[in-house]
Amino acid sequence: MRVYLVIIDETEEAHVALRFAARRAAKTGGVVHLLALVPKQAFNAFGGVQATIEEEARDRAEILANGAAGELMIESGKMPQIAVRVGDGKDVIIEYLEDHPEVAALVLSAAPEGGPGPLVAHFSANAGALPCPLFIVPGGLTNEQIDRLS
């Protein structure tokens, strides 16, 4: 079974990647894994404040991932696997891929305008070292174009 990994955050690019991955999974009999990233907070002398900030960020990430899972459930009828991880995005994704060798593709979306974004820039520059293919979906595609391509 093919597993498509999508990184979930508050950007429109995440929704584009999710739609593409959901369509590919539906057409190939695969599933989608959602990974929500929580940036590690800079050291704060007031540990309680830092812990509260991290907890709030984790709660936001869980809400985003669950919302995306609901969209996916409506779209495909399949519930994705959800993971929320704290740390540097690039490192967390690499660790996730190492821990989940069943992932068939990492699906990211580029911004419709401007630079590609930090994850797309990093992983496209290092695609040869990934244990799976990297799909980069153009962020300016319409839903109809995504459906046709996927």
Side-chain angles (χ1 to χ4, degrees):
M1 175 180 332
R2 289 192 173 148
V3 176
Y4 299 91
L5 175 61
V6 177
I7 310 308
I8 293 298
D9 59 22
E10 297 171 341
T11 64
E12 185 59 35
E13 292 87 354
H15 292 286
V16 169
L18 178 61
R19 183 172 187 94
F20 180 85
R23 297 295 190 173
R24 285 297 308 150
K27 290 181 181 180
T28 62
V31 296
V32 175
H33 285 195
L34 302 176
L35 177 59
L37 304 174
V38 179
K40 188 149 182 75
Q41 298 301 311
F43 176 74
N44 186 328
F46 302 100
V49 172
Q50 182 175 351
T52 300
I53 292 170
E54 284 183 359
E55 184 176 331
E56 288 173 356
R58 184 175 185 83
D59 289 345
R60 269 194 317 277
E62 287 177 0
I63 290 168
L64 280 171
N66 285 320
E71 287 178 34
L72 191 60
M73 185 70 176
I74 291 168
E75 190 76 33
S76 69
K78 292 183 180 179
M79 191 63 173
Q81 179 172 322
I82 300 171
V84 178
R85 301 278 162 66
V86 178
D88 174 65
K90 296 169 243 170
D91 294 338
V92 171
I93 293 167
I94 295 291
E95 288 172 15
Y96 190 91
L97 291 172
E98 289 171 355
D99 293 344
H100 295 85
E102 71 275 15
V103 172
L106 170 60
V107 182
L108 301 173
S109 175
E113 295 179 359
L119 293 179
V120 171
H122 174 78
F123 286 108
S124 62
N126 296 289
L130 288 172
C132 64
L134 171 65
F135 291 175
I136 301 174
V137 184
L141 296 179
T142 65
N143 286 343
E144 293 77 24
Q145 290 171 316
I146 293 169
D147 295 348
R148 193 172 51 250
L149 288 172
S150 60

